[in-house]
Amino acid sequence: MNDFTHEIEPPKDLEDRVVSALRHRGLLGARGRRAARLPLAVAAAVVLLASGYVLGAWHTRPRPAALPSEPRFVLLLHETPSTRSIDIPEQALVEEYRNWARRIHANGRAITGEKLKDAAGETLSGFFIVEAATLEAARAIADSCPHVRYGGRIEVREIDPT
Amino acid sequence: MSAGDLETDRAIVERFLRTRDEDVFRALYRRQTPALFALVLRLLAHRTADAEDVLQETWIRAVERLPTFRWEASLRTWLGGIAVNCCRERLRSGWRWVQPGEEGLPDVPDAQAPVSLTADVDRALGKLPAGSRTVFVLHDIEGRTHGEIGALLDIAPGTSKSQLFHARRQLRALLR
């Protein structure tokens, strides 16, 4: 016979604390507020410009003397029907991209990006440039980007260093 | 959990991922947290303040990872796995698998009778070492197999069996 209680109600205020923690991390939108649709690449570019990860930061990032420079890769962000129909509060989206970029940067990798002007019939909306040891490593970084989680497509190409 | 419950969990999660709406998250939280809280409380020997912190961390990690959840297990099982790892991190300094002098625990057949499961056991659980307490909770309360426990805790199924044997033996001694 099993007398164990399999459910125990948590303290009432814990729910609000969890919600607050999620909102602080940009993982949660407001109650019932419809999001202004924002192309994800725009959110990404806003993040990068606001966070200072533009080309200036790229050129001034100190590089350990013992390490050779790694190849650079461009992550080409393509919009899809999924990314165009997403409905997320703008601030939550920007915060999610910002946290992603911070993690990339905190791992010692410079990252920069730009939004492209809209062009009829084009799915390419922006790009990131990131250092990585190999193409597979660059693809892993791309796979971690919020753009992919929301159904976007990221094309990864190595930049010719010559 | 029934197929209907599974579908409801998935529908709520998908709606949350599309909208990130707070009310949708609260619905998900209220649906899953009582079971999660019971698990975490037991793993942390009913240290309520620690359990609340772990539960908060569990939800933060879960929401971060939800977009990549593949529904290969139930949502509750997946959340439980995150909660277990959060508990392990909280208990890191006290986490050990083998009692001193008992390194040679025999491989125990699954047919060994479990401890008679009463509410007193719940209270006695707090006196077990974190490692064997976790295996007992996951196996005898949560109903996971030794294979599942091994994958979750990154231990061999044989170690899980040994720890369960040890936990049951200690509990019997405590409850005499």
Side-chain angles (χ1 to χ4, degrees), chain A residues 1 3-9 11 14-17 22-23 27-29 31-32 87-89 149-150, chain B residues 16 18-23 25-26 29-30 33-35 37-38 42 52 55 59-60 64 67 117 141:
Chain A
M1 178 177 70
D3 288 335
F4 278 103
T5 304
H6 286 271
E7 295 191 348
I8 300 174
E9 283 297 325
L14 183 57
E15 180 177 323
D16 288 338
R17 278 187 274 146
L22 291 174
R23 192 179 295 122
L27 296 171
L28 200 64
R31 257 194 166 112
D87 192 16
I88 290 178
R149 292 208 294 275
Y150 291 117
Chain B
F16 173 71
R18 278 198 310 276
T19 64
R20 295 285 170 159
D21 184 79
E22 180 182 318
D23 285 338
F25 171 75
R26 286 181 184 270
Y29 173 95
R30 290 168 189 167
T33 296
F37 194 57
R42 289 192 174 108
E52 293 178 21
L55 202 65
W59 273 114
I60 290 169
E64 287 177 338
L117 299 176
I141 301 178

Side-chain angles (χ1 to χ4, degrees), chain A residues 3-64:
Chain A
D3 288 335
F4 278 103
T5 304
H6 286 271
E7 295 191 348
I8 300 174
E9 283 297 325
K12 292 288 180 203
D13 65 327
L14 183 57
E15 180 177 323
D16 288 338
R17 278 187 274 146
V18 171
V19 167
S20 178
L22 291 174
R23 192 179 295 122
H24 179 72
R25 286 162 177 78
L27 296 171
L28 200 64
R31 257 194 166 112
R33 189 178 74 189
R34 288 192 60 87
R37 276 208 301 122
L38 185 70
L40 296 189
V42 172
V46 168
V47 166
L48 293 172
L49 290 171
S51 307
Y53 295 143
V54 294
L55 284 172
W58 171 278
H59 289 299
T60 58
R61 183 174 73 93
R63 186 182 300 279

Side-chain angles (χ1 to χ4, degrees), chain B residues 21 25-26 32 51 55 64 71 74 79 84 86 88 91 95 104 130-131 145 147-149 151 156 161 164 166 172 174:
Chain B
D21 184 79
F25 171 75
R26 286 181 184 270
Q32 301 294 334
L55 202 65
E64 287 177 338
W71 296 95
S74 72
L79 289 170
V84 168
C86 289
R88 291 177 75 190
L91 293 168
W95 196 275
T145 65
E148 290 168 341
I149 294 169
K161 289 181 186 177
L164 181 64
H166 186 71
R172 284 197 183 90
L174 286 167

Side-chain angles (χ1 to χ4, degrees), chain A residues 50-118:
Chain A
S51 307
Y53 295 143
V54 294
L55 284 172
W58 171 278
H59 289 299
T60 58
R61 183 174 73 93
R63 186 182 300 279
L67 292 176
S69 58
E70 290 185 320
R72 293 189 301 154
F73 296 86
V74 61
L75 278 50
L76 300 167
L77 274 61
H78 292 269
E79 300 296 324
T80 66
S82 294
T83 58
R84 291 195 179 99
S85 63
I86 203 164
D87 192 16
I88 290 178
E90 177 180 328
Q91 185 53 41
L93 203 57
V94 170
E95 195 59 31
E96 190 173 358
Y97 271 83
R98 177 178 291 128
N99 290 336
W100 174 75
R102 279 178 179 156
R103 286 195 294 272
I104 302 296
H105 190 72
N107 286 335
R109 301 192 178 284
I111 181 168
T112 186
E114 300 285 356
K115 179 191 174 301
L116 301 176
K117 278 189 178 176
D118 291 337

